Amino acid sequence: MSKRICVLGNSHVAALKDGWTNETKVHADFFGCLKEGMASFGDIDGKLGPLDPNAAAFFKSIATTGDFVEPADYDAFVLTGMKFFPNCLFRNYADFATPSTHNHDVARNFVSDATMVDAVWGELNDGMMLHTARTLRAKTDAPIFIVWQSFLSEGLRDIEWRDALYAPIVSNNDGAYVHAIMAQIDQRLVAEGFQVLSQPEDTIEAGVMTKREYSEGSKQFREGGGPEHRALDVFHMNERFGTLCWQTWFADSELAEAVQ
């Protein structure tokens, strides 16, 4: 019998679903909601799905199985999107320098790197991703893999206010700082019993963006497949990105071991 993976998330599931190639001997089922729908994820008569009625209806309509999740059916879980992203590092970069950053001459405050780790964790700890992961963990002992929401597309350079936010980080070569903070969050996830899957390095531009080629033509998360996102959508990735994720994870991650 083939191994089974359950993929859960919000609209970012679309890239992984569209990019699934079925080249492995693994079966994947895809589930999710739009926007904040996964915030109500919970136990419904032994199955798992959104408690909110509207989110529940969408969840069932988009699900490969047409139903909520039966945790016992799966050998591993992959959770993606759901606003699991270090927003505060980008939002606060201009105002907060740390020993690891190169903005000491302009930032108004100097704090420890540990302070920024705590700030990122503070935003994520009560968010959709960890709510979903912890709800799932209460129902299964199978490996649960958390995927950081992908870096924004480099198309953000065409949006004035976003470019102003990112340009100093890029010019100061502080992508390494962002990755170092994320790595410390990864350690907290592992300590809690989760595992982490990383965005493929070949898709990353200047340390903190995703190459434009992996976002162009991204599709909306809809039943039967959705239309393309608007031209300046910088959040969602396309089928090529999803395929490369699966190829990378099955070649070099604990996911491959979990479904052997």
Side-chain angles (χ1 to χ4, degrees):
M1 181 180 295
S2 64
K3 296 287 187 174
R4 296 171 64 89
I5 295 176
C6 172
V7 184
L8 276 166
N10 58 359
S11 56
H12 296 273
V13 169
L16 295 183
K17 185 177 183 181
D18 293 343
W20 182 257
T21 61
N22 285 324
E23 293 177 1
T24 68
K25 295 180 180 179
V26 179
H27 176 84
D29 286 325
F30 298 86
F31 304 84
C33 294
L34 297 178
K35 298 183 178 179
E36 308 289 339
M38 292 297 287
S40 69
F41 191 69
D43 187 322
I44 306 168
D45 297 326
K47 299 179 182 181
L48 297 178
L51 303 181
D52 176 83
N54 291 330
F58 181 88
F59 188 94
K60 285 186 175 181
S61 74
I62 205 75
T64 310
T65 64
D67 199 357
F68 293 132
V69 176
E70 291 269 17
D73 288 349
Y74 299 98
D75 300 286
F77 297 82
V78 174
L79 278 54
T80 189
M82 293 188 279
K83 297 189 175 181
F84 200 76
F85 189 80
N87 278 307
C88 72
L89 297 184
F90 297 94
R91 188 175 63 245
N92 294 312
Y93 180 79
D95 293 327
F96 291 89
T98 81
S100 298
T101 62
H102 298 94
N103 60 341
H104 299 179
D105 56 335
V106 294
R108 293 180 293 179
N109 306 285
F110 189 82
V111 300
S112 68
D113 289 300
T115 296
M116 297 311 296
V117 174
D118 287 341
V120 174
W121 185 252
E123 284 195 339
L124 300 178
N125 191 36
D126 295 325
M128 279 190 294
M129 174 65 83
L130 287 177
H131 165 73
T132 300
R134 289 163 178 159
T135 300
L136 190 56
R137 173 53 74 220
K139 298 295 182 179
T140 180
D141 293 326
I144 297 174
F145 294 87
I146 290 176
V147 183
W148 285 89
Q149 189 166 303
S150 56
F151 289 114
L152 274 61
S153 165
E154 63 180 316
L156 66 85
R157 289 167 166 160
D158 298 331
I159 303 172
E160 185 176 353
W161 73 269
R162 289 197 183 279
D163 184 53
L165 198 65
Y166 275 69
I169 300 175
V170 173
S171 63
N172 287 334
N173 293 314
D174 271 338
Y177 152 74
V178 174
H179 285 269
I181 299 297
M182 292 170 68
Q184 292 188 60
I185 298 297
D186 290 348
Q187 292 176 14
R188 296 191 182 193
L189 295 175
V190 171
E192 195 169 329
F194 304 116
Q195 298 177 62
V196 181
L197 294 172
S198 300
Q199 179 173 344
E201 290 185 10
D202 289 347
T203 68
I204 298 175
E205 172 68 21
V208 292
M209 296 178 287
T210 299
K211 294 176 181 177
R212 191 187 299 259
E213 66 192 271
Y214 293 105
S215 64
E216 291 177 333
S218 65
K219 300 291 185 63
Q220 295 180 33
F221 192 37
R222 296 292 187 275
E223 182 181 1
E228 291 186 4
H229 288 102
R230 66 185 188 281
L232 282 181
D233 181 290
V234 296
F235 297 99
H236 296 92
M237 300 303 132
N238 59 26
E239 178 180 339
R240 289 184 59 199
F241 180 84
T243 298
L244 186 55
C245 283
W246 290 121
Q247 291 173 343
T248 301
W249 297 338
F250 280 125
D252 185 27
S253 81
E254 293 173 309
L255 179 61
E257 182 179 341
V259 295
Q260 282 181 350

